[in-house]
Amino acid sequence: MARDSKKEDPKYDPEAEYKLSTRKLEYNPVLVESMLIHQTQVNVSLIVAPVLEDDLKDIHTRLGMRSYLNFSDVTFVLNKYHTSNVIAATSTIRDNIIRHYRDCAVGHKLKIVLNSEMTGNMGGLFNDLLSGLSVGLDGDVSGMVKSVAHGMSDTASKLSSTASTVLTYVSGDDAFRADRDRLRASRYQSSSASLRAGWQGLRSGLIGGITSIPNSVVRGISQDGVTGAVTGLAKGLIGAVAKPAAGLLDFASGTTLAITQSTRSSESIGEIKRIRLPRCCSGEILAPYSLDTAQGMATLWKLNRKSRCERFISWCVVNTQLKILVSSERVRLIERESGNKVVKEIMLDSIGQCVYIPRNNGGTTEHHLAIQIYDTLPPPGVVHMTPDSSPRLNCNSQKTSLKISQDIQYAIDLKRESTFLVNSGKMFSNSGNSAR
């Protein structure tokens, strides 16, 4: 057999060759007959973390990210992107799409500035006032008061927070600024957390103002002697005024933020509500979305409290009164009207097999499903049953009976096959114990 001389070369680098082939593949031209991305609206809020962990600081530096403004509830209108009959590299097509949506975002610079914390979210205040006026004209007085209170408190919170930030930098105390940033990072969790952060900010500001002069003078003397003492005294006097004022503004900001969070409605924050149940992904292949399967998966999660040890198999309507839920552990018969009320639960280990039995009843065919249930596990090789002596389900149709029978048999086969799986961890741990 001929050998590959390239791979036998000691200087051969398979990773470099893979990157080169990937780069060539990326620049291969492709034909785009038609590409259309519809117009959409995105509600965006950005809260910049005042304190970053070390690993996040490295990412921030590596990406060359700049400082950003805090803003909230900015509606970005992303215009549709359409191109047709284009021959270009995949990287070029991707860059064109990114450039299109970057231009759409740049067109909202004025909205970002008006909704930023620096300007007190004037855009949000204007929207809340309009919303309050609209619901007030409809006769909803409580809704009008809620919208106006939300807008006014939000603006007051952001303006006081901005003023407090300025005073914190004026004080020139890095430790005080770091402590304030830590308190600010925790105030967005809930209204009680906002009040707690406000109180702690006020306490920190008062203590910092009292200790500002002696701490600054001592620090200046230790660094530059007499000259440092004069400089420290000047810094201490500034901090003695700026720190209590910053703490008072932090307290006002935390209080008004708590009012904002308590009066915030789902409409004001643009809460996204789910329009359909989650897709059932029980296998490696992503199947088309099925509402029935999604309902069955949701029902299984409610019954087993989202246990990952039990795998969803099928969910089917048996008749006008019952539904059947088949999982990797058990079969459940559920009442249709009551929702999740389980009428009967059968472990897969106790099921022998399922048989479809058609019965002629006065000229009409009834479709029965017989399930053999063992009180104890059947001995090996016992798979036969007497259909007449088995529990039966009266199904809607032959198709339904056959489907349920196949699903249960499939679950039984999976259950039996799982008993032959070897857990490598247990196997090695057992071997280690025996060797010891």
Side-chain angles (χ1 to χ4, degrees), residues 88-110:
T90 55
S91 58
T92 304
I93 297 173
R94 182 182 64 246
D95 293 341
N96 290 338
I97 296 175
I98 294 174
R99 189 181 305 111
H100 168 77
Y101 286 111
R102 184 185 295 123
D103 294 340
C104 291
V106 168
H108 296 82
K109 288 189 293 186
L110 180 59

Side-chain angles (χ1 to χ4, degrees), residues 171-186:
S171 68
D173 190 340
D174 294 337
F176 177 71
R177 184 167 64 246
D179 184 56
R180 179 180 176 274
D181 290 341
R182 179 183 59 81
L183 294 176
R184 279 168 52 87
S186 63

Side-chain angles (χ1 to χ4, degrees), residues 216 220 224 226-236:
S216 299
D224 297 325
V226 179
T227 306
V230 176
T231 305
L233 178 61
K235 289 183 178 180

Side-chain angles (χ1 to χ4, degrees), residues 295-304 310 312 314-327 330-346 393:
Q295 289 176 347
M297 188 69 188
T299 304
L300 177 62
W301 277 4
K302 288 180 181 179
L303 294 174
N304 67 3
E310 189 173 7
F312 173 81
S314 70
W315 168 259
C316 185
V317 176
V318 179
N319 49 45
T320 57
Q321 298 177 349
L322 294 176
K323 286 186 176 182
I324 189 167
L325 175 62
V326 183
S327 71
R330 52 182 62 84
V331 176
R332 297 179 178 91
L333 296 177
I334 301 173
E335 285 187 359
R336 295 186 61 179
E337 296 181 356
S338 61
N340 297 330
K341 183 179 179 181
V342 179
V343 178
K344 189 174 183 60
E345 185 173 291
I346 309 171
L393 298 176

Side-chain angles (χ1 to χ4, degrees), residues 150-350:
H150 176 271
M152 297 294 291
S153 61
D154 185 51
T155 299
S157 172
K158 286 179 169 54
L159 288 177
S160 58
S161 177
T162 302
S164 175
T165 302
V166 173
L167 289 175
T168 303
Y169 277 93
V170 169
S171 68
D173 190 340
D174 294 337
F176 177 71
R177 184 167 64 246
D179 184 56
R180 179 180 176 274
D181 290 341
R182 179 183 59 81
L183 294 176
R184 279 168 52 87
S186 63
R187 66 178 187 166
Y188 292 100
Q189 298 175 358
S190 62
S191 57
S192 60
S194 301
L195 287 174
R196 193 183 310 113
W199 277 106
Q200 292 176 350
L202 177 60
R203 184 185 62 182
S204 176
L206 293 176
I207 296 175
I210 294 172
T211 59
S212 177
I213 295 178
N215 288 342
S216 299
V217 171
V218 171
R219 192 181 304 113
I221 293 175
S222 63
Q223 292 177 354
D224 297 325
V226 179
T227 306
V230 176
T231 305
L233 178 61
K235 289 183 178 180
L237 290 173
I238 295 174
V241 177
K243 290 179 181 178
L248 185 62
L249 289 172
D250 279 336
F251 172 71
S253 175
T255 305
T256 51
L257 180 60
I259 297 174
T260 302
Q261 291 174 338
S262 61
T263 58
R264 179 178 295 175
S265 63
S266 60
E267 295 180 357
S268 63
I269 62 175
E271 180 182 353
I272 300 176
K273 297 182 179 180
R274 179 177 290 278
I275 60 174
R276 72 180 191 185
L277 293 171
R279 180 194 302 269
C280 174
C281 300
S282 58
E284 297 180 355
I285 300 177
L286 186 63
Y289 183 80
S290 170
L291 180 59
D292 291 337
T293 306
Q295 289 176 347
M297 188 69 188
T299 304
L300 177 62
W301 277 4
K302 288 180 181 179
L303 294 174
N304 67 3
R305 298 179 181 179
K306 293 189 176 182
S307 172
R308 299 291 180 179
C309 299
E310 189 173 7
R311 176 183 170 188
F312 173 81
I313 302 296
S314 70
W315 168 259
C316 185
V317 176
V318 179
N319 49 45
T320 57
Q321 298 177 349
L322 294 176
K323 286 186 176 182
I324 189 167
L325 175 62
V326 183
S327 71
S328 58
E329 297 295 331
R330 52 182 62 84
V331 176
R332 297 179 178 91
L333 296 177
I334 301 173
E335 285 187 359
R336 295 186 61 179
E337 296 181 356
S338 61
N340 297 330
K341 183 179 179 181
V342 179
V343 178
K344 189 174 183 60
E345 185 173 291
I346 309 171
M347 300 299 295
L348 289 179
D349 292 334
S350 62

